[in-house]
Amino acid sequence: MKTDRLKIRKTGIVMLGAALLLLAGSVFLGRFPAPYVTSLSDLMTQDLVQQVVWQIRIPRILSAFVTGMVLAASGMVFQMIFRNPIVDAGFLGVSGGAAFGASLGIVLLGGSMATIQGSAALFAVLGLGFSWIMAVRIRFGDWILRLILAGIAVSALFAAGTGLLKYLADPLRELPELTFWLLGGLWGITWTDTLQTLAVCIPCLIVIWLFRWRLNLLSMQDETIFSLVADASKERIVLLLTAVIATSAVVCKAGQVGWVGLIIPHIARRLVGSDAQKALPCSLVLGGIFLLLCDNASRTLLSGEIPLGILTSFIGAGLFLILLLTRPMLVGRK
């Protein structure tokens, strides 16, 4: 037991050190003034380089790290509360609903930031609600299968709605912007966007952090929870709404960035165990590292920007197959 605690502590220190180094090193990555790496002398002497770093790279780095943290934390909340190891915001209709809501705000509701964020949050909640109601009403299969089927159906409905909005969008002004946004990416992030994202996501992450020890209880069967004289319904609603609001906030800015919430919680559990008190902090740091690495690659490797959603899907799907082929994917403490 003492050996395990020391191992987990070392893992945490290594991950925090890696995250800090990555955050600092990302400032020097980019394609201006030279491809791949900005030298320290250029950064110290050229005003234009300093403006690029301060006005573009730093807000983008912060947004990428926070987006990864939010998607990973939300994925862990969904997996533990639904006791389902293969769900995340993308599989439950949350990301699809947020994308549809944001597209609706851009194309038909004026395009103001408040309208886009409000519409995204509303349809993200509706997506989760529809998925849960349909899963309850499906009459075959176990809970895991029913929830996945319901999430796929709801996500497909929202995808169809988003496709209709793309058809209705102005082909010269709105359609290109909407298409690139749906592919996922942080190329348009400003300090204003970053501060708006932080204002929503930081309180949500604090709530999830404070409830991390209750996630172990909420991942148990209802009969077990009732035997412990606990009413978990309110806590489940609070955590689910918090995860949905945070997810919709990052989807508004970054578009649809998939697979982070599915694979990162599983990697965290394999590193530090299934206890949510340890797995949640590990997921937060891992999610930030993973998405920041992907964003660094998307803005550095080629002369043109690689959509972030394509990179996360490519890497995430490969990691998911590896996880499936190794050990069973489990959720919660037994």
Side-chain angles (χ1 to χ4, degrees), residues 13 15 20 26 56 83 134 148 151 162 169 189 207 237 254 256 298 305 317:
I13 293 172
M15 288 174 53
L20 292 174
S26 298
I56 298 176
R83 301 188 299 277
M134 288 182 62
I148 292 173
T162 304
I189 289 294
V207 171
I237 292 173
Q256 286 186 299
S298 75
E305 183 101 8

Side-chain angles (χ1 to χ4, degrees), residues 22-23 25-27 29-30 60-61 64 289-301 308 311:
L22 181 62
L23 284 167
S26 298
V27 173
L29 298 178
R60 179 168 179 164
I61 289 167
I289 290 175
F290 175 75
L291 204 64
L292 184 52
L293 283 172
C294 290
D295 187 58
N296 286 341
S298 75
R299 66 184 173 86
T300 306
L301 289 180
L308 185 58
L311 275 182

